[in-house]
Amino acid sequence: RVRVNDPQVVKVVRRQLGNETPTFGMRGTMRLKEDSNIPSGDRGIIKAGQEVKLTNGVEVEIMQPPRFIEEGVLLMLRAKRRFEVISEVENEEQGWIDANVKYLDSKEQEEEELYENGDPMCIKRAILKAGEFTPLIDRWVELARQCEKRPGQIDMLLGDIGHIPPPSTEPSERAFWVGALINPLPEMGVATGIRPELIMAETALERIDVAYDGIRRSIAHMD
């Protein structure tokens, strides 16, 4: 559930409503950490502290008829597939960007890690650490109930994101679930945003580390 005031997003929503399954892609930005300097084509080196557009994003589905208001649009969205942008073309006339993307599947990425990267323990380490989330999640939910902006907010959030994926078979999806828990939309203001780092993480263990650090910092903030 989100309110969007960006007129370009409103245009995209209106266009996509004509499809049987109305979807569109969302991607954000992130500020590079102090130890990060990355090459970026004709922009040269992007230095630490600069904000960059993510190359990965999420396809979202419009779940209910949107409510258009004077300031923008009220939407109920459901995250579907992650994607990596392969190439993009800015649609100057309409104001949005059309892109060719590669859809990403957590299970396929984990299998590539296991069989192609030469480290048979990489997924095992992710699975073991993913199993440590349970007491942290229980504590987070307990504290977050005390910070609700409206009664029943956490119960509604848990209903929206569904059951947590098992660590033994879906460690990456478990990390994404934790990200959705502590960074809901609209924001609760109880956790630092980890979505950009989470969606750009390249391995299962990196995703687990981002989610693990995020939920621990959120607990410390609320406790």
Side-chain angles (χ1 to χ4, degrees):
R1 297 170 177 84
V2 62
R3 173 175 173 169
V4 179
N5 298 327
D6 188 328
Q8 302 305 331
V9 175
V10 174
K11 288 182 181 180
V12 171
V13 170
R14 290 187 183 278
R15 183 187 72 166
Q16 296 304 100
L17 286 176
N19 298 332
E20 182 177 352
T21 302
T23 62
F24 60 95
M26 296 181 67
R27 59 176 178 157
T29 60
M30 68 181 297
R31 192 171 300 278
L32 293 185
K33 293 182 177 180
E34 294 182 0
D35 58 351
S36 301
N37 290 298
I38 61 174
S40 181
D42 57 6
R43 292 179 61 187
I45 297 295
I46 301 176
K47 298 182 179 180
Q50 289 185 268
E51 194 163 280
V52 296
K53 185 180 294 183
L54 302 183
T55 54
N56 292 359
V58 177
E59 177 190 45
V60 296
E61 180 180 354
I62 302 171
M63 295 303 296
Q64 294 181 356
R67 179 184 169 195
F68 294 96
I69 56 178
E70 185 176 349
E71 301 84 1
V73 61
L74 300 176
L75 294 167
M76 176 178 282
L77 302 174
R78 181 179 68 180
K80 299 189 70 178
R81 296 176 291 182
R82 291 181 296 122
F83 62 79
E84 176 186 2
V85 175
I86 304 302
S87 63
E88 60 183 48
V89 178
E90 187 168 352
N91 190 323
E92 295 182 2
E93 180 180 351
Q94 300 296 339
W96 57 71
I97 293 176
D98 293 320
N100 294 317
V101 304
K102 172 187 176 182
Y103 288 106
L104 305 174
D105 179 86
S106 295
K107 182 63 67 176
E108 291 179 0
Q109 290 178 304
E110 289 163 1
E111 289 177 355
E112 288 177 6
E113 282 187 64
L114 190 60
Y115 297 112
E116 297 180 11
N117 292 354
D119 183 3
M121 290 300 295
C122 59
I123 298 300
K124 183 66 174 179
R125 289 192 292 268
I127 289 172
L128 289 174
K129 192 165 185 179
E132 299 175 14
F133 274 125
T134 301
L136 295 174
I137 292 168
D138 291 343
R139 181 58 176 159
W140 189 92
V141 169
E142 178 186 358
L143 293 171
R145 291 190 194 279
Q146 302 170 26
C147 301
E148 290 183 329
K149 294 183 177 180
R150 59 184 183 278
Q153 183 178 12
I154 297 303
D155 288 334
M156 181 176 293
L157 170 60
L158 291 170
D160 285 344
I161 62 178
H163 296 295
I164 183 169
S168 60
T169 56
E170 299 180 89
S172 292
E173 290 302 313
R174 193 173 178 88
F176 289 124
W177 188 95
V178 171
L181 176 71
I182 69 174
N183 287 163
L185 294 175
E187 296 179 358
M188 289 185 62
V190 299
T192 302
I194 65 170
R195 289 177 183 268
E197 284 186 86
L198 194 55
I199 201 169
M200 291 301 296
E202 296 184 353
T203 69
L205 186 57
E206 287 178 7
R207 297 176 194 113
I208 294 296
D209 284 342
V210 169
Y212 192 85
D213 182 59
I215 194 170
R216 288 189 65 184
R217 285 187 284 117
S218 180
I219 289 171
H221 172 74
M222 292 188 288
D223 196 354

